[in-house]
């Protein structure tokens, strides 16, 4: 029976963290990449992996990968007899791009849920079945030999650039239509790519940037709360007050007094 050693679902490591295991691990590692990463292999080759890439490391194999910026992934370390893996003819220690990433991520989520709930009856049996299903899905995906989408890579860099402009000038009246026009994307595409790369919606992140700026400006007693809100991009003071209280549990005035 396959046994889970450790796993994670949509795990966030420190930005640009390096995973370096020159002797690998005692277990198999199935990894789903959720943010751009750079992989290096024992033959000194290197590969830039886009979100959606997968790899199955066999035990004792060199592991070396680092996030380009933010670090997100889902994974499972598991112990298995070699014959179980061999029956699926999976190409090991090699990045591949599944067509059905959602199915693989769902299976990793179910494995993670079983791992956390240690008191559930038949937990080990169900985990074994989920990993078998994960291996079958990986084997099917490798047969399709999907190539990384270079268009995604170009969009990532364009999106990263405009995201930086938006957050660095959060007081400007940014809107979804404006971002779509700059990037030449439809709204659904913009939301999809933004969530894939940055794991949030663009306007949600913009609001957080504005709130952070307000908090900084409130340390300056020379400006009023209303001025701090306007300078941070909030044009409706009533909306700002409601949002601030909901986010921080106090009014802007109370926040200022406590700082």
């Amino acid at each position: 029976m396959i046994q889970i050693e450790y796993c994670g679902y949509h795990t966030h490591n420190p930005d640009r963290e390096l995973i370096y295991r020159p002797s690998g691990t005692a277990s198999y590692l199935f990894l789903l990449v959720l943010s751009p990463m750079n992989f290096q292999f024992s033959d000194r080759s290197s590969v830039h992996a886009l979100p959606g890439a997968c790899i199955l490391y066999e035990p004792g194999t060199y592991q070396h990968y680092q996030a380009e910026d933010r670090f997100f992934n889902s994974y499972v370390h598991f112990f298995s007899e070699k014959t179980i893996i061999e029956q699926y003819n999976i190409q090991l220690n090699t990045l591949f791009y599944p067509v059905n990433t959602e199915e693989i991520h769902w299976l990793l989520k179910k494995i993670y849920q079983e791992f956390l709930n240690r008191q559930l009856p038949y937990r080990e049996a169900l985990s074994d079945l989920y990993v078998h299903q994960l291996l079958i899905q990986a084997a099917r995906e490798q047969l399709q030999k999907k190539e990384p989408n270079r268009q995604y890579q170009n969009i990532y860099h364009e999106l990263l650039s405009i995201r930086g402009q938006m957050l660095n000038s959060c007081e400007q009246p940014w809107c979804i239509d404006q971002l779509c026009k700059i990037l030449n994307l439809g709204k659904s595409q913009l939301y999809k790519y933004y969530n894939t790369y940055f794991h949030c919606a663009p306007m949600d992140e913009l609001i957080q940037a504005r709130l952070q700026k307000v908090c900084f400006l409130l340390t300056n007693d020379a400006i009023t709360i209303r001025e701090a809100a306007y300078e941070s991009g909030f044009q409706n003071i009533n909306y700002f007050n409601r949002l601030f209280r909901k986010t921080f549990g106090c009014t802007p005035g109370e926040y200022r007094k406590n700082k």
Side-chain angles (χ1 to χ4, degrees):
M1 178 178 288
I2 292 173
Q3 294 184 327
I4 308 301
E5 180 186 29
Y6 195 69
C7 59
Y9 175 75
H10 207 276
T11 301
H12 180 205
N13 291 27
D15 292 353
R16 295 186 55 79
E17 182 171 75
L18 170 66
I19 303 299
Y20 180 60
R21 304 184 183 110
S23 299
T25 57
S27 56
Y28 286 90
L29 166 60
F30 187 94
L31 173 67
L32 169 61
V33 174
L34 296 177
S35 60
M37 292 193 186
N38 295 308
F39 283 74
Q40 291 190 17
F41 297 93
S42 57
D43 62 359
R44 298 188 181 278
S45 63
S46 60
V47 178
H48 177 66
L50 301 175
C54 292
I55 188 169
L56 177 59
Y57 284 110
E58 63 183 327
T61 300
Y62 180 89
Q63 298 176 15
H64 185 155
Y65 51 95
Q66 183 175 24
E68 192 174 89
D69 186 12
R70 301 184 75 189
F71 191 123
F72 284 95
N73 61 20
S74 292
Y75 61 90
V76 56
H77 289 268
F78 63 92
F79 295 105
S80 172
E81 294 180 7
K82 189 174 182 180
T83 54
I84 293 177
I85 307 300
E86 288 176 341
Q87 69 179 316
Y88 296 117
N89 296 315
I90 297 174
Q91 189 174 2
L92 302 172
N93 314 314
T94 303
L95 287 163
F96 65 97
Y97 286 83
V99 174
N100 194 350
T101 307
E102 292 79 10
E103 178 71 15
I104 286 179
H105 209 191
W106 181 84
L107 288 167
L108 289 168
K109 180 180 180 180
K110 299 303 290 184
I111 293 168
Y112 180 65
Q113 290 173 340
E114 293 298 318
F115 181 76
L116 291 180
N117 295 288
R118 296 179 179 273
Q119 305 304 317
L120 288 176
Y122 312 112
R123 169 179 166 271
E124 292 184 354
L126 190 54
S127 296
D128 174 78
L129 290 173
Y130 281 139
V131 176
H132 274 281
Q133 191 173 346
L134 178 68
L135 295 172
I136 292 170
Q137 188 66 34
R140 287 177 172 176
E141 295 288 355
Q142 284 192 350
L143 289 173
Q144 298 187 58
K145 297 181 179 179
K146 180 175 179 250
E147 295 297 323
N149 192 330
R150 298 302 173 188
Q151 181 185 6
Y152 279 27
Q153 192 168 21
N154 293 334
I155 289 173
Y156 168 71
H157 290 293
E158 292 174 4
L159 198 57
L160 185 65
S161 175
I162 194 63
R163 173 181 180 249
Q165 294 177 46
M166 180 179 72
L167 299 181
N168 288 329
S169 56
C170 62
E171 71 282 355
Q172 297 298 318
W174 296 92
C175 65
I176 291 297
D177 288 339
Q178 180 185 5
L179 296 178
C180 289
K181 184 176 181 180
I182 293 172
L183 295 165
N184 194 28
L185 293 173
K187 289 184 180 180
S188 61
Q189 289 179 304
L190 174 63
Y191 284 119
K192 174 185 175 181
Y193 291 135
Y194 207 97
N195 185 65
T196 296
Y197 294 126
F198 309 124
H199 311 283
C200 61
M203 292 300 102
D204 289 345
E205 192 168 39
L206 176 62
I207 288 172
Q208 290 304 312
R210 287 173 173 172
L211 286 171
Q212 290 172 11
K213 185 172 182 179
V214 165
C215 290
F216 175 74
L217 291 177
L218 288 176
T219 62
N220 179 8
D221 290 342
I223 65 174
T224 66
I225 291 174
R226 183 180 293 270
E227 288 170 338
Y230 286 157
E231 289 181 25
S232 300
F234 293 104
Q235 301 303 311
N236 185 318
I237 195 65
N238 292 326
Y239 165 75
F240 162 72
N241 285 327
R242 290 195 304 270
L243 179 64
F244 195 96
R245 178 184 285 275
K246 180 180 179 180
T247 304
F248 298 107
C250 62
T251 67
E254 291 168 341
Y255 182 92
R256 167 173 271 177
K257 288 178 183 179
N258 293 327
K259 286 297 178 181

